[in-house]
């Protein structure tokens, strides 16, 4: 059921150009609405970095082999996670190494020295090289070959911190792929993997329930508690992935292990949700759940929520969900006053949502989070409009509202059940206040050491 809606006139942003940090969606270009050169990084850093994600591999130790200037950031990131510093080490690349040309020897000896002096032997080591080693054409086959011969009981993963060199993959895409490089082929079991989320998928979602009802075991990368569970990912028949950034990991496992890659994306569209379920049901010969019943439940809950929040202005950011425009469309079509979406680019998965919003809600404000002018703009929406309800930490920070849903990358919420739970969280956020400063300054929110 669709409801008529207009964005509240008091919260329409002024018309600006792509040279700035804000633009009406009606005037924006796909897929890059902003011309971003010099970038700004906000204090809202709850999303994960390459220093945090290896901590999801149980009993994995990460070792960065980098110049001191690069190490400053990653060591601080690791130290922010409880227990993270104990699983993080570094080898400093110096000018002397560059002049002597002994990059391979330095890396082998440095990593070996660290391993031999750790209080506990790790099951896995992910070593990270930086741009400088690759500028100098380091031979990683020599490095990891020597380390594997020296430590045959340890799995080694080649990690990369090379943002200046990545043309094919972004740092996040490459990082997610490498997280599963120590997974090897095992005898097949009646199991399906969920990869590579940073949060375990909510076990109550209808897709998981549908699979488990037919005796399929769900192996969730983000839920692995032991290294054995991590290695057992190699026994699954297929890999489900929800994020476009996990596609490289899924296709790599398909190539290496013969596991089928099945993309069932996060979405707030009933049509896409049904297509996801049909895809999995047909592949595994499952019975579909009552999608009509789920949709009626969502519409009922959305009406009740609208009665609670009324015309409260709503802002959404891309760190809360990989489909911020899909969520904006869902809420706007049901009468909610979504007035701003914080993002820097638009994924191909959201092109249809972008085109729809351009036509139906041209005054919706798109706001860059990383354009340098964002640093100069006032953060006073909550004061100007009386109250703003934010979905995501960045939206909370930039609008300066204590009323926000603390969601990072969907935080495991998926499918129809995920939407139902999100609506509950939105209702709670509208009635409760949070200490924004204490929450948003924690990097990799929810990360375990």
């Amino acid at each position: 059921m669709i409801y008529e809606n207009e964005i509240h006139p008091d919260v329409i942003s002024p018309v600006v150009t792509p040279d700035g940090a804000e633009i009406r969606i009606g005037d924006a270009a796909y897929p890059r609405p902003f011309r971003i050169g010099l970038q700004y990084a906000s204090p809202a850093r709850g999303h994960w970095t390459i220093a945090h994600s290896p901590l999801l591999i149980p009993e994995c130790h990460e070792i960065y082999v980098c110049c001191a200037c690069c190490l400053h950031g990653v060591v601080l990131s690791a130290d922010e996670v409880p227990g993270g510093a104990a699983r993080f080490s570094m080898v400093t690349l110096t000018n002397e190494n560059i002049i002597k040309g002994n990059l391979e020897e330095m890396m082998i000896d440095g990593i070996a020295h660290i391993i031999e002096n750790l209080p506990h032997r790790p099951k896995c080591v992910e070593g990270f090289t930086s741009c400088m080693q690759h500028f100098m054409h380091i031979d990683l086959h020599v490095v990891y070959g020597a380390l594997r011969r020296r430590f045959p009981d340890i799995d080694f993963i080649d990690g990369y911190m090379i943002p200046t060199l990545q043309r094919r993959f972004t740092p996040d895409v490459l990082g997610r792929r490498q997280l599963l490089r120590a997974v090897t082929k095992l005898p097949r079991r009646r199991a399906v993997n969920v990869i590579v989320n940073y949060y375990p998928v909510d076990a109550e979602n209808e897709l998981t329930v549908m699979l488990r009802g037919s005796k399929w075991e769900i192996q969730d990368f983000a839920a692995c508690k032991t290294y054995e569970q991590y290695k057992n990912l190699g026994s699954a028949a297929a890999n489900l992935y929800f994020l476009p950034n996990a596609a490289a990991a899924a296709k790599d496992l398909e190539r290496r292990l013969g596991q089928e890659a099945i993309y069932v994306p996060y979405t707030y569209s009933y049509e896409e949700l049904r297509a996801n379920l049909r895809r999995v049901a047909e592949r595994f010969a499952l019975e579909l759940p009552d999608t009509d019943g789920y949709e009626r439940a969502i519409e009922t809950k959305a009406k009740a929520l609208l009665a609670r929040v009324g015309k409260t202005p709503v802002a959404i950011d891309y760190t809360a969900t990989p489909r911020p425009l899909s969520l904006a469309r869902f809420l706007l079509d049901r009468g909610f006053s979504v007035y701003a979406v914080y993002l820097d680019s638009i994924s191909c998965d959201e092109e249809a949502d972008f085109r729809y919003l351009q036509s139906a809600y041209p005054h919706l404000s798109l706001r860059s989070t990383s354009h340098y002018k964002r640093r100069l703009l006032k953060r006073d929406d909550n004061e100007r409009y009386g109250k703003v309800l934010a979905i995501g930490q960045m939206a909370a920070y930039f609008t300066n509202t204590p009323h926000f849903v603390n969601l990072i990358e969907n935080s495991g919420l998926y499918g129809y059940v995920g939407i139902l739970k999100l609506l509950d969280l939105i209702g709670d956020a509208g009635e409760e206040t949070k200490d924004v400063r204490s929450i948003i300054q924690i990097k990799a929110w929810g990360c375990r050491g």
Side-chain angles (χ1 to χ4, degrees), residues 81-110:
V81 178
R87 297 174 59 190
F88 178 95
S89 299
M90 53 190 176
V91 179
T92 304
L93 174 66
T94 66
N95 288 337
E96 182 180 355
N97 300 128
I98 295 171
I99 293 169
K100 288 184 175 180
N102 66 343
L103 300 180
E104 291 84 2
E105 180 183 2
M106 177 271 295
M107 187 170 178
I108 294 167
D109 291 344

Side-chain angles (χ1 to χ4, degrees), residues 125-137:
V125 169
E126 183 167 3
F128 283 83
T129 46
S130 66
C131 305
M132 186 58 69
Q133 285 105 316
H134 295 274
F135 285 144
M136 303 296 292
H137 296 287

